[in-house]
Amino acid sequence: MTSDRDDECYDVFIVHSSEDNSVAEQIDQGLTDKGLKTFAHYKDGIFQVGRRVFDNVLFAISRSDIVLILLTQNALSSHWVTFEILIGLEKSYRENAMCVRLVFQGVSETERLGFKTGTLELIPDIVVDFSEDSWKGNLVSKIKEKVTMRDILPAGNVAHGLVFSYYFGYLAYVLPATKEAIKKSEYYSEEANIFSQKFVIIIPASCKPKSIEGDYGDFLIEKMPKPLEMEFTHGDKKRKYNPTVYKITKTQTTESFFFSADIPFILATMSKMKELGFADIDLRFQVPRFRMTLRELVDHRNNPKCKNTSIIIQFEDKDAKTSPAKDIWNALQDEFSDQKETALLSNVVSSEGELKDRDQHVTAIVTYSSDVEADKTLAEEIMNFFMEKNVKFSNGDAKMQFKGLSRSRWNIFVVSESAVKDVTMAIQFEAALAKSISEDKVQVIPVLVQNSDINRISPHFACTTLLKKEDPAYLDKLWKTLQAGDTKMVELLPAGVVYEGLAYSYFVNYLPLNLIGKTEEGRDFKGRFDDGMKKYNGCCKCVYKLFVIVPASCSIPGPGTRFPKEEHLGPLEPVVIGFRKYFLQLYRLTLENGEQVCYAREYATSVITLHKMTGLVFSGLNGVEMKDQVKKFVEFSRTIVENPLFNERIGGNIVDKCEIVYFDDKMGQKMEQVTAVLEERLQEYIK
């Protein structure tokens, strides 16, 4: 049985901060009075209890014609509100019609104008004054107004593409290998008890990666001399991955932790785009989008190797004095506190009973920490309510009900600040949630104990939409959820315009550095070729060009693969910027007339992301869409490279230094055909 609400559609989805329930209710009633069918956060049963918050948002937006964002003093700084605006903009792009509207209420004109900058300039908005009789009609008119998308949409999907690029190019290798690499580290042998097993990912709001080491008063972060060591093959290149090891010390107590961390270099794509002024990008939306999508990706059910292997920290780096030190310390302290608090293991109690539904028998289990009076009282209240509904619970004292879990239909967890620290509770919750997601049915229902601070509840427990004891109707909502039948657990995230982020990453954050930068010896692009020709005894003509190969399959052969009649001579002297080295590979091709020509080429490794996304359910990208996106990647990349403003802003001309070569290997084109294309282009250049 599937819940009816899974197939329902709505005229308007009202997005609002939880502090604005009363305002949202007033707007909702006004729209209902005008005959619109609405969907709103505050309504009972609208956001499905037990479904992940991320999925509830995607569900609501995908089934609503208009996304109405209520902006009050409470909502202006909400990360969830900005995230929902961006998802709405992506829906607008897919449907080629603006479906987002902004409603300002109780906000000054100065604040409204300050908020409506960048991306938000495109979105129709209205100020609602409840004292005016005409507010309902004016709002409905704004909602029904047809707004065509502009030809050039702000870069709304850049962060989404960058997340997948960062994951497949780095995290997919590093996260599963971190624990073993740590054990081989010289610091681990002496500091095993204070070396975090999780990889810390630090996201600066400015998108300007920089070292986190330094003295920050209460905390000292030191960069250790030796990083972790890993080596993998990505696309056609062998790569060494060396995550940095840090030591953080609380100066007052001299307590310390060791941890490995990364500040994603790919984020610089967005800061550079903003600085260049080449594309309209709003970091207020892109950074939360990057963080939220990354968290969903690394902890997804289809990603067991990466699940629970990372800590993601976003921080405001407004000046040199701000740092993520405190957030890092708190996250590591929580990790080690969880490991130490094993004394509570005997206090986790699971009581189970049979719940008679209309047409089936299902089992419900209530799990709680019995040594906390408030938790115990709430659990008893839930069980007493179930008994009134013909749910018979035993007074069993069973621990770790994995056997019961495997046959249970519903798992209710009493959640409090103390309960979430219990290792047994965490393991049981994780197992229940994994079962729920794998079966694609809502099964896990957290209930928050009264007076517990939701902000102090681990995201591990708060990732699903929960009930609150402080809500007088929480038991009725619980019962409605159980009676609703099977509700889907996971919403697929539409892949959106991934190619934009991939193209910007490759042509803003990588290629110009390689083509315009100089080596430590001062050699420019042409000088690197001349040096390579001498080094490898080229003895032939040279085309000073990098050919970027893009296969339609987005699948790249392994290292050492050569095209027919081609010889790999070796790498040119690299451009070194910071700790990164940018190489070009020199090749020699024998033409049909026997003449030989040297040139550089590489695969556009960014498109590997599209290929790998098709194998990940969460991405929402299938093979047909992949082929469409890779074609758009090629077209968009050529647009970037040939744009005079882009070449001017990056400080040098790359249009005459590279060329994109696309071939449809899915249509039977062989490497011989790529050679033919290369030969044709080389002959043109040597003329």
Side-chain angles (χ1 to χ4, degrees):
M1 181 170 66
T2 302
S3 172
D4 292 338
R5 86 187 83 188
D6 278 352
D7 299 318
E8 271 191 279
C9 292
Y10 302 84
D11 296 314
V12 181
F13 169 41
I14 303 173
V15 174
H16 63 89
S17 170
S18 59
E19 290 91 345
D20 295 326
N21 282 359
S22 60
V23 181
E25 187 172 0
Q26 197 167 350
I27 288 178
D28 186 25
Q29 187 59 55
L31 297 180
T32 303
D33 291 343
K34 292 292 185 178
L36 296 181
K37 187 176 181 181
T38 61
F39 192 114
H41 284 185
Y42 77 89
K43 286 186 176 181
D44 291 351
I46 288 295
F47 260 28
Q48 176 63 54
V49 174
R51 179 185 263 164
R52 302 185 77 175
V53 176
F54 195 90
D55 295 324
N56 269 325
V57 170
L58 298 176
F59 171 86
I61 290 177
S62 67
R63 286 161 178 78
S64 303
D65 293 334
I66 295 294
V67 181
L68 189 68
I69 312 292
L70 174 58
L71 293 167
T72 65
Q73 293 289 347
N74 297 319
L76 288 179
S77 60
S78 169
H79 285 311
W80 276 111
V81 168
T82 55
F83 172 72
E84 286 162 307
I85 291 175
L86 189 55
I87 296 296
L89 284 175
E90 292 172 3
K91 172 183 170 74
S92 300
Y93 185 92
R94 291 192 302 275
E95 299 178 1
N96 196 30
M98 177 61 76
C99 69
V100 182
R101 304 288 188 275
L102 305 180
V103 177
F104 291 92
Q105 200 279 327
V107 174
S108 71
E109 183 63 8
T110 300
E111 289 171 318
R112 185 187 78 83
L113 293 175
F115 192 77
K116 279 213 70 179
T117 57
T119 299
L120 299 185
E121 287 181 344
L122 289 176
I123 305 177
D125 71 294
I126 187 172
V127 176
V128 166
D129 185 346
F130 294 132
S131 65
E132 297 179 356
D133 294 336
S134 60
W135 76 265
K136 295 180 185 178
N138 292 339
L139 180 56
V140 171
S141 295
K142 182 63 69 174
I143 287 172
K144 291 185 175 181
E145 178 184 342
K146 298 297 182 183
V147 182
T148 304
M149 296 298 292
R150 295 182 185 178
D151 291 337
I152 301 176
L153 183 76
N157 293 274
V158 170
H160 187 52
L162 294 182
V163 165
F164 282 97
S165 181
Y166 177 54
Y167 172 75
F168 286 118
Y170 186 78
L171 293 182
Y173 300 107
V174 170
L175 291 185
T178 293
K179 189 175 289 187
E180 288 304 314
I182 285 173
K183 291 179 180 179
K184 296 176 182 177
S185 168
E186 65 178 64
Y187 310 115
Y188 182 79
S189 59
E190 299 179 4
E191 311 291 354
N193 294 330
I194 57 171
F195 203 136
S196 172
Q197 300 292 288
K198 293 187 176 181
F199 189 67
V200 180
I201 303 167
I202 300 166
I203 302 173
S206 69
C207 292
K208 294 181 179 179
K210 58 183 179 181
S211 176
I212 59 170
E213 63 182 311
D215 188 344
Y216 302 104
D218 294 337
F219 301 98
L220 173 67
I221 299 180
E222 301 171 81
K223 180 180 176 181
M224 306 309 291
K226 293 189 177 181
L228 301 183
E229 295 182 356
M230 311 172 190
E231 187 171 333
F232 305 98
T233 297
H234 178 65
D236 62 340
K237 301 175 183 177
K238 286 187 177 180
R239 294 185 178 179
K240 291 185 177 180
Y241 295 80
N242 300 111
T244 304
V245 176
Y246 295 94
K247 178 182 180 182
I248 183 169
T249 303
K250 191 171 185 179
T251 51
Q252 288 183 337
T253 62
T254 68
E255 293 177 89
S256 296
F257 294 119
F258 285 80
F259 65 98
S260 57
D262 181 55
I263 304 92
F265 186 76
I266 202 167
L267 286 171
T269 300
M270 295 195 289
S271 61
K272 288 180 181 178
M273 287 170 66
K274 187 174 180 65
E275 291 169 359
L276 292 173
F278 174 67
D280 190 359
I281 187 165
D282 195 329
L283 298 184
R284 292 175 300 171
F285 297 92
Q286 300 296 334
V287 176
R289 177 72 151 105
F290 187 94
R291 175 178 57 83
M292 291 175 179
T293 306
L294 181 60
R295 171 49 65 202
E296 289 298 310
L297 179 55
V298 297
D299 277 343
H300 191 258
R301 62 175 169 138
N302 285 349
N303 207 0
K305 291 183 179 180
C306 295
K307 194 173 178 63
N308 295 326
T309 60
S310 64
I311 296 169
I312 300 176
I313 294 173
Q314 179 183 327
F315 80 105
E316 295 289 337
D317 54 335
K318 296 178 180 178
D319 53 55
K321 295 181 180 179
T322 57
S323 82
K326 185 176 181 181
D327 293 327
I328 293 172
W329 178 266
N330 290 340
L332 297 177
Q333 193 171 47
D334 287 345
E335 178 188 348
F336 286 97
S337 294
D338 289 345
Q339 295 174 7
K340 293 176 182 177
E341 293 190 24
T342 55
L344 292 175
L345 290 178
S346 61
N347 298 318
V348 173
V349 175
S350 295
S351 295
E352 59 180 315
E354 188 176 61
L355 168 63
K356 292 185 177 180
D357 200 18
R358 297 171 190 165
D359 52 11
Q360 62 177 331
H361 286 79
V362 294
T363 300
I365 298 178
V366 180
T367 302
Y368 61 98
S369 183
S370 62
D371 68 331
V372 180
E373 193 60 34
D375 295 29
K376 183 178 179 181
T377 300
L378 178 55
E380 290 174 348
E381 187 172 275
I382 293 171
M383 289 187 282
N384 287 336
F385 177 79
F386 279 172
M387 292 169 72
E388 293 174 10
K389 298 289 186 180
N390 294 322
V391 181
K392 296 181 180 180
F393 281 85
S394 66
N395 292 321
D397 202 26
K399 315 293 187 301
M400 298 295 288
Q401 289 284 338
F402 290 112
K403 183 177 180 181
L405 176 69
S406 65
R407 57 185 170 80
S408 64
R409 174 61 183 86
W410 301 101
N411 288 279
I412 293 89
F413 287 83
V414 175
V415 177
S416 66
E417 292 175 39
S418 57
V420 298
K421 296 178 181 178
D422 192 294
V423 177
T424 304
M425 174 78 83
I427 294 174
Q428 180 125 336
F429 185 88
E430 174 65 29
L433 188 60
K435 175 176 179 285
S436 179
I437 294 175
S438 66
E439 295 181 7
D440 201 9
K441 294 190 296 188
V442 172
Q443 299 176 354
V444 179
I445 304 174
V447 185
L448 186 66
V449 173
Q450 196 156 3
N451 299 323
S452 288
D453 184 356
I454 186 66
N455 295 316
R456 296 185 63 84
I457 301 298
S458 166
H460 178 73
F461 287 89
C463 65
T464 58
T465 301
L466 46 73
L467 294 170
K468 298 179 181 179
K469 161 65 176 165
E470 62 191 39
D471 181 352
Y474 89 92
L475 287 173
D476 291 333
K477 292 179 180 179
L478 175 61
W479 185 245
K480 285 180 182 179
T481 300
L482 269 60
Q483 296 288 69
D486 293 342
T487 302
K488 285 180 65 177
M489 185 65 183
V490 178
E491 290 291 316
L492 294 183
L493 182 62
V497 190
V498 183
Y499 71 84
E500 281 188 6
L502 300 179
Y504 278 127
S505 174
Y506 188 74
F507 289 98
V508 172
N509 203 34
Y510 163 71
L511 207 59
L513 301 175
N514 204 345
L515 302 187
I516 297 174
K518 293 185 177 181
T519 69
E520 293 178 332
E521 298 293 326
R523 294 186 180 90
D524 61 7
F525 183 72
K526 183 177 181 297
R528 294 165 71 190
F529 275 85
D530 291 338
D531 177 68
M533 293 289 288
K534 292 177 183 177
K535 180 179 179 180
Y536 301 115
N537 194 24
C539 298
C540 63
K541 292 182 179 179
C542 180
V543 170
Y544 299 96
K545 202 87 170 179
L546 170 67
F547 292 93
V548 179
I549 312 297
V550 183
S553 68
C554 299
S555 180
I556 294 176
T561 302
R562 294 190 300 276
F563 296 129
K565 302 190 295 181
E566 180 186 68
E567 179 185 359
H568 179 216
L569 300 182
L572 300 183
E573 184 183 0
V575 172
V576 180
I577 300 177
F579 62 90
R580 294 172 66 91
K581 293 183 178 181
Y582 297 86
F583 286 93
L584 292 174
Q585 301 293 329
L586 189 64
Y587 291 86
R588 182 165 52 201
L589 185 70
T590 302
L591 306 181
E592 286 293 334
N593 61 9
E595 190 174 9
Q596 293 185 320
V597 183
C598 285
Y599 57 96
R601 73 158 174 86
E602 66 177 42
Y603 279 95
T605 52
S606 294
V607 300
I608 299 175
T609 298
L610 292 171
H611 175 70
K612 292 192 174 182
M613 284 178 70
T614 61
L616 195 66
V617 174
F618 172 75
S619 74
L621 188 74
N622 59 37
V624 175
E625 292 166 337
M626 180 197 75
K627 189 169 182 178
D628 178 62
Q629 294 237 5
V630 72
K631 284 183 178 179
K632 289 179 177 177
F633 171 88
V634 172
E635 295 166 4
F636 192 62
S637 297
R638 287 172 177 159
T639 301
I640 294 174
V641 171
E642 295 168 5
N643 188 292
L645 179 60
F646 170 73
N647 283 281
E648 174 190 330
R649 296 288 173 85
I650 62 173
N653 197 346
I654 70 169
V655 68
D656 60 350
K657 296 181 176 66
C658 69
E659 182 174 323
I660 301 166
V661 179
Y662 171 79
F663 74 106
D664 195 345
D665 53 339
K666 284 203 161 192
M667 295 298 292
Q669 287 189 9
K670 305 295 184 183
M671 286 189 173
E672 290 86 352
Q673 291 170 291
V674 182
T675 301
V677 174
L678 281 174
E679 182 168 352
E680 178 185 340
R681 300 306 300 137
L682 290 170
Q683 286 178 336
E684 284 291 321
Y685 287 119
I686 63 177
K687 284 181 181 179

